[in-house]
Amino acid sequence: MPPSPSKSSDKPDASSARARPTWFRWLLRITLWMAGLAAAAAVGLALTIAVALSVAYPNLPDISDLADYRPKLPLRVYSAEGALLGEFGEERRNLTPIGEIPQVMKDAVLAIEDSRFFQHGGVDYKGVLRAGLANLGRVKSQGASTITMQVARNVYLSSEKTFTRKIYEILLTFKLEHLLTKDQILEIYMNQIYLGNRAYGFAAASEAYFGKPLKSLSIAEAAMLAGLPKAPSAYNPISNPKRARVRQQYIIERMEENGFITAQQAVEAKKEELKIRTGPDNTRVHAEYVAEMARQLIFTQYGNEAYTRGLNVYTTLNAAEQEAAYNALRRGIMDYERRQQYRGPEKFVALPTAPQEVEDAIDDALANHPDNGDVLSAVVLEATPRKIVAARANGDALEITGDGLKPAQSGLSDKAPPNIKIRRGAVIRVVKTPKGAWEITQLPEVEGAFVALDPRNGSIRALVGGFDFDKNKFNHAAQAWRQPGSSFKPFIYSAALEKGFTPATVINDAPLFFDAGVTGGQPWEPKNYDGKYDGPMSMRTGLAKSKNMISIRILQAVGPKTAQEWVGRFGFDPEKHPAYLTMALGAGSVTPLQMASAYSVFANGGYRVNPWLIAKVTDHKGRVISETTPPVTSEQPRAIDARNAFIMNSLLQEVTRSGTAARAQATLKRTDLYGKTGTTNDSVDAWFAGYQPTIAAVTWIGYDTPRNLGSRETGGGLSLPVWISFMERALKGVPVMEPTVPAGVVNVGGEWFYDEYVRSAGVSSVGLEDHRSASPAVTPQAPPPSEERNRILDLFRN
């Protein structure tokens, strides 16, 4: 029979059965206790967060204004046609609606910054998880900060990394997502983000780095810009091109991974060579002085808001004429500079022998001597009397030989002093000749100005205030008070017409001497420029030849006080033209802009016009804030009679036909040109003021600290070529205009007269009695018969 079970084998089983419930109960208690503790902690944390949120949420900034996003926008100045002349403001920005941002730019940004932007609700939880894993080094991540969070941070919060700020950022993110659409948020981001080089937003960055509008960007260019938000300095394609390219390549890969571009497009984009803008914008119209004038006018009206409201200022400037004026003045000044003695290199640097060290030394040297327009800087590598080899900042080497060495021949001589000697390490200036060869030159010390007005309404069509704005910001066109010299004589002649003088009045070109008893000071013996005296001649010939003795005798006959009052009609300040005989030689003070306005009186038939620059101001959306209606000529105050202006036109036309400015008509091949050269005492100032009925223009050249320009330098030789060069462009396609004869003027024997001087007395001659008279006699009598008048004119005309 089978053995019965023993008791000893039953006891362990019973003990285990009794122990198991005790163990489970203990484990269960622990588990429930920990779960309860966790639940309590969670509830506590939730309550804490809820309280924190209830306290923090009301303190969040009001973001309702973002629905009508208005960032700080710079002041921009444009020509009449809309060409950009300049911009002012701390932030370079172009506000671009989301609908005008190209898809390739949006795709590039989304690929690297927030690929799930249109899927998440502001906080990308998957992104947060990826970021956490990335911190453990397990996967590569694009980061957890969404575009909405970046907008919250960039617009309203600081960048400090604190728990409190992070809470506010998340709350603000939810608030933005609730108030705005995804497109509105993306629009704000793409216009607000700082991208280096003073550029805010991708539209401004496209202009700053590539010199092109946003809509023209390629995939490769868009990827390059999309890499900037993370670190604008580190990934700047100008200062850190290698790092910028590495990030660009990665972004192109991200665009492909997200399906924004194809594999083939990615390959092509990675191979594309980008043209990064590294220097100034050479495509912009050179109107720096005009832009500064406009800035000052707008600032006076709007204050500091002028730099943040996004105002667009449209000037009266004609872009093509402005470029013509800029180029003409610079060319004229550089032509003068070629005739000056070489002053030596700008600096000397020690060049090492190692090639890489040489490049670094050249870069450092030229960084402090940047190019000045087409006047380029270079460092001499070797120099002999027959050849100079120099290096540019971009590493290019250039050779100067033959005629290109002539302007600096004194610096290549073995006997040249150390400060003049051109040798290895010398920083020099070079220019390209019309034939494409290199020529050594130097930055000019002389200055100049050019201004052109529409004489019919006073609008400024072109203005250049100096050789280079960055070199000298003083606006010589509007601010330089200089002696006008002989270019002032027409205003004295105009006064004489009202005192009985006619173009046929005969005046003696003979020496004059005024002793101390007459002058009240030092004796004065004025001279003609060429030192020659041609005897009696008509007033017409006297102006054409710019005879000083003729002008002095005319002023003495008219009376200095009368002439002083008369010139005030043209806009001159009478106090700046003392009532002395020296006024006849232009010893007063004028500005080039003032002269252009004054000559406009002759050009428009006798009306006074005031120069004006700003035609229209709009806000950033193009809405007109203010607008100027061009004044009608006939509604302007009359300065002189139409017949006075007509006869002065005839006299000034003679100057450009046979006188000191005969080169004008000969070069431009048209007869409707009028003007007067001007060279002051000791050739300190060189002028040409002239006009065609649709445009009046003035050129001035001289040193800021007045000094002799050179014994052979004159207004006709220095300033007239600048004027002619400008007029070649300004008058292209403009028909020749014949003047209309006004009432009260008659032609007798080929000469023009006021009709009352034909019927009655006028001034027939001046100063014929005594060639050295200090008080030249004026002979009032009826004009001679036409045969005699013609004989006089034929005798004394050029």
Side-chain angles (χ1 to χ4, degrees), residues 508-588:
N508 192 18
D509 177 34
L512 285 167
F513 177 79
F514 301 90
D515 59 30
V518 174
T519 64
Q522 296 295 320
W524 183 43
E525 187 175 10
K527 300 181 183 299
N528 286 328
Y529 174 78
D530 57 7
K532 299 177 182 178
Y533 304 93
D534 297 335
M537 63 178 61
S538 69
M539 191 167 84
R540 175 180 292 276
T541 302
L543 185 61
K545 290 187 173 183
S546 196
K547 290 290 188 176
N548 290 341
M549 301 304 108
I550 301 294
S551 296
I552 293 172
R553 282 189 161 91
I554 290 174
L555 179 57
Q556 195 166 27
V558 170
K561 189 63 178 177
T562 299
Q564 183 190 41
E565 295 173 356
W566 184 260
V567 301
R569 293 169 173 258
F570 295 87
F572 295 117
D573 181 357
E575 292 184 358
K576 291 188 178 293
H577 301 273
Y580 302 118
L581 292 180
T582 51
M583 190 197 313
L585 307 184

Side-chain angles (χ1 to χ4, degrees), residues 677-719:
T677 55
T679 309
T680 59
N681 192 35
D682 291 331
S683 297
V684 169
D685 299 272
W687 294 81
F688 184 77
Y691 56 92
Q692 189 267 352
T694 63
I695 188 164
V698 172
T699 307
W700 166 83
I701 292 177
Y703 288 98
D704 277 339
T705 301
R707 61 185 168 104
N708 190 288
L709 288 164
S711 59
R712 297 183 179 181
E713 304 294 352
T714 65
L718 265 179
S719 295

Side-chain angles (χ1 to χ4, degrees), residues 240-356:
N240 290 301
K242 291 181 180 179
R243 293 184 67 181
R245 181 163 177 78
V246 170
R247 183 158 176 79
Q248 177 221 30
Q249 300 289 297
Y250 172 60
I251 293 173
I252 293 173
E253 293 172 3
R254 292 284 304 167
M255 293 177 73
E256 181 186 355
E257 290 173 11
N258 284 277
F260 294 138
I261 59 175
T262 66
Q264 182 60 35
Q265 287 176 313
V267 170
E268 293 173 356
K270 285 186 174 184
K271 292 180 179 178
E272 182 178 334
E273 291 292 330
L274 301 187
K275 296 181 179 178
I276 305 296
R277 172 188 288 172
T278 57
D281 184 2
N282 293 324
T283 63
R284 182 176 294 181
V285 177
H286 286 286
E288 294 84 357
Y289 292 97
V290 173
E292 174 60 16
M293 290 173 67
R295 182 199 69 78
Q296 292 179 18
L297 291 170
I298 295 299
F299 180 78
T300 299
Q301 186 172 358
Y302 295 97
N304 288 326
E305 284 191 1
Y307 309 131
T308 60
R309 289 182 55 179
L311 299 178
N312 298 309
V313 181
Y314 292 88
T315 66
T316 58
L317 230 65
N318 180 286
E321 292 176 7
Q322 176 65 25
E323 276 299 290
Y326 172 83
N327 292 327
L329 182 63
R330 282 182 67 95
R331 191 182 308 117
I333 289 176
M334 291 307 297
D335 286 345
Y336 169 79
E337 195 60 46
R338 286 186 185 91
R339 300 191 291 271
Q340 306 313 301
Q341 184 174 357
Y342 187 61
R343 295 184 292 275
E346 294 179 16
K347 186 180 180 180
F348 295 95
V349 296
L351 294 182
T353 55
Q356 184 57 50

